[in-house]
Amino acid sequence: MRSLRYITCDVFTTEPFSGNQLAVVFGAEGLSTETLQSITREFNYAETTFVFAPEDPSHTRRVRIFTPELEVPFAGHPTIGTAHVLVASGEVPAVGNEMTLVLGENVGPVPVRITLENGVPVHAQLTTAQLPEERVEVTDLDALARVLSLSASDLVGGAHAPAGVSCGLPFQLIALTSVEAVERARLRTDAWEAVLKGTWAAWPMVFAMSRDGNAAQIAARETLLPAHVRGCDIRARVFVPGSTVPEDPATGSANACLAGYLATRTPRDGTLRWEVAQGVEMGRPSRLHIEAHKSGSVIDAVRVGGATVLVSEGTMSVR
């Protein structure tokens, strides 16, 4: 029997028991992919990461990311959370007020910038290894609305029509007309199987601008939110049918896609930033900082960041 050390954390939050759960496992060298998958199913979080020595000397660590069903090339909250855990646990020594880790993932090298206060990490921001790729596969707004138990009038359409976007993992981005529509969305599995299953971007991300409406309406919505997710620009939800967790409380990879989607449709260069609240409807409110940089109307960088809090530490035995 071997003993593996693990640390769990909540990502994209400053409050324990909110955000997105992650298990980070050390000492799994030599174990088969099947065993890593079994360990992931044991935690049964949206994702678990396994940390290894770097394969490239310019990288900080090699990281493999698993959902309970399969290994994925890239995911945002596992990248952010793993980088935080490496520094917070002392696996990677803290240096100065800012430091950058490079995690070698299946998608390629992912740099993560860590901000520290008194030697303690307080924020991490990744830069995606891939720039946004966009494909339009589904144009039937009525069909997409049925997937979400909504009406076509709840979808924005036009310049902000639904589109598949990927920065390493594809999502179907669907802009809705109001936060209330985001809250009302309920995924219909039968409709999803008929419309999106098997497409390039099968997992829907719905979002709406939080600041739309009059001041009284905005203020009323804000008072219903936990303090750490108030004042965000966007309310979002991400549905992942066919996985152990049918809705995700904080999805860095999808929010990277959202930054690219919005930046493509914003007619100015420079750094474009948004704050996103996700997971509110699930009772695990999360706050994500997203940004895209444009030069000459071309996106040349996409970044996603947020806070992480450590929750538990322990060991498990495996053969």
Side-chain angles (χ1 to χ4, degrees):
M1 299 292 288
R2 291 173 56 179
S3 181
L4 305 184
R5 177 185 177 219
Y6 68 84
I7 296 174
T8 72
C9 58
D10 291 333
V11 186
F12 293 124
T13 182
T14 55
E15 298 295 324
F17 314 125
S18 59
N20 206 347
Q21 297 162 293
L22 176 71
V24 181
V25 181
F26 301 90
E29 289 81 359
L31 295 180
S32 68
T33 296
E34 291 74 19
T35 300
L36 301 186
Q37 190 70 72
S38 295
I39 292 169
T40 302
R41 283 194 291 268
E42 183 70 16
F43 282 108
N44 207 35
Y45 292 164
E47 277 109 355
T48 292
T49 62
F50 297 87
V51 178
F52 304 96
E55 296 173 351
D56 184 315
S58 66
H59 298 173
T60 309
R61 293 290 188 275
R62 166 78 167 115
V63 176
R64 295 178 67 181
I65 304 171
F66 286 78
T67 74
E69 292 79 30
L70 75 163
E71 185 172 8
V72 294
F74 166 71
H77 102 268
T79 300
I80 293 289
T82 300
H84 180 102
V85 164
L86 284 169
V87 178
S89 66
E91 288 282 337
V92 173
V95 178
N97 296 323
E98 187 174 285
M99 58 190 292
T100 298
L101 281 60
V102 179
L103 303 183
E105 301 183 0
N106 288 354
V107 75
V110 181
V112 185
R113 185 174 64 190
I114 305 288
T115 303
L116 303 101
E117 293 180 359
N118 300 316
V120 177
V122 294
H123 188 272
Q125 183 190 62
L126 68 83
T127 300
T128 61
Q130 293 183 11
L131 293 174
E133 176 186 357
E134 187 168 318
R135 302 183 194 178
V136 177
E137 295 177 289
V138 182
T139 58
D140 187 338
L141 297 188
D142 286 301
L144 285 171
R146 284 195 297 276
V147 171
L148 302 166
S149 305
L150 300 174
S151 64
S153 61
D154 291 313
L155 278 61
V156 175
H160 289 81
V165 184
S166 177
C167 289
L169 197 62
F171 292 86
Q172 185 71 212
L173 268 59
I174 304 172
L176 301 183
T177 57
S178 67
V179 169
E180 187 268 339
V182 171
E183 294 171 339
R184 275 193 290 116
R186 299 290 184 274
L187 189 104
R188 283 182 48 186
T189 303
D190 58 339
W192 175 79
E193 290 177 345
V195 177
L196 286 175
K197 186 178 181 180
T199 62
W200 177 68
W203 289 339
M205 177 186 204
V206 299
F207 66 95
M209 307 312 290
S210 300
R211 300 182 185 280
D212 287 351
N214 62 47
Q217 291 172 325
I218 296 169
R221 284 200 299 265
E222 290 286 291
T223 59
L224 299 176
L225 296 174
H228 71 283
V229 293
R230 291 176 186 167
C232 287
D233 306 295
I234 297 169
R235 176 79 68 83
R237 297 174 71 182
V238 176
F239 299 101
V240 282
S243 69
T244 300
V245 184
E247 183 175 350
D248 203 30
T251 318
S253 50
N255 276 275
C257 296
L258 178 59
Y261 176 95
L262 294 173
T264 297
R265 291 156 177 79
T266 302
R268 64 181 176 86
D269 286 347
T271 301
L272 309 170
R273 296 184 176 92
W274 299 269
E275 302 270 326
V276 182
Q278 188 186 333
V280 173
E281 293 75 18
M282 299 176 63
R284 293 195 67 92
S286 311
R287 188 184 194 106
L288 301 94
H289 312 266
I290 64 174
E291 65 180 55
H293 186 269
K294 291 176 69 177
S295 179
S297 300
V298 176
I299 297 172
D300 54 25
V302 172
R303 303 181 183 94
V304 178
T308 297
V309 289
L310 302 185
V311 175
S312 69
E313 182 173 2
T315 59
M316 65 166 54
S317 299
V318 298
R319 292 189 184 276

